[in-house]
Amino acid sequence: AGKQLNIKPHYGGISSGASEYIYGPTDIEGHLGEDKRYYVIDFARVFPPTAEPDVAKTFLYKLFRPEFVKSYRKPLSSDGCSKFGSHNRREHDKELHEATKYLLGEVVPKFAEELCNMFPSKAPCNPESDC
């Protein structure tokens, strides 16, 4: 499932000697139920956090949209920019910073321009201002 979602596999855990190789967040849980079926819980952080200036405070809830992650040019780590992403932290954090820059600098302005063109107003469309 991680490959289909474009989630980067990584070693998860809080310590630098983390040994669990996982596609997804370190705090995801899998359980075998009494009915012998498998259940996955705590997967709210499957999609990585946006690497905005306040990411240390917001990594649990300011997440990339699934559509963005699936279409991004490279897989992204669910645990980047978080206390769970200690193994290869610089690499994962850098990739999230690049993805955030791309989202805010290219994707959002392009979408805003498309919206302006779909709903033209009397004023010319300028993606830097309100339409």
Side-chain angles (χ1 to χ4, degrees):
K3 287 181 182 180
Q4 291 175 340
L5 297 173
N6 204 25
I7 299 297
K8 185 177 185 178
H10 63 285
Y11 288 97
I14 295 175
S15 70
S16 59
S19 62
E20 296 299 322
Y21 197 66
I22 187 170
Y23 284 85
T26 296
D27 52 342
I28 198 167
E29 296 179 31
H31 299 275
L32 177 62
E34 291 180 10
D35 59 0
K36 305 295 182 212
R37 295 182 357 188
Y38 290 97
Y39 296 89
V40 179
I41 62 171
D42 292 341
F43 53 93
R45 289 190 327 99
V46 167
F47 294 99
T50 57
E52 296 174 66
D54 59 350
V55 69
K57 297 177 183 176
T58 64
F59 74 92
L60 294 173
Y61 59 88
K62 267 187 150 177
L63 311 176
F64 284 110
R65 296 277 310 159
E67 300 86 353
F68 176 81
V69 175
K70 286 172 67 175
S71 66
Y72 191 61
R73 62 182 173 86
K74 63 167 64 172
L76 298 171
S77 171
S78 300
D79 287 331
C81 294
S82 78
K83 63 182 179 180
F84 300 109
S86 58
H87 186 268
N88 287 343
R89 175 184 304 276
R90 287 188 192 140
E91 174 187 328
H92 301 308
D93 290 1
K94 180 182 177 203
E95 291 168 347
L96 292 183
H97 282 277
E98 290 169 353
T100 301
K101 183 178 178 182
Y102 175 69
L103 174 67
L104 299 177
E106 295 185 37
V107 175
V108 171
K110 182 181 176 189
F111 181 68
E113 184 176 359
E114 289 174 4
L115 283 177
C116 285
N117 292 333
M118 288 173 57
F119 304 101
S121 64
K122 294 178 184 177
C125 186
N126 178 359
E128 299 296 320
S129 66
D130 295 332
C131 292

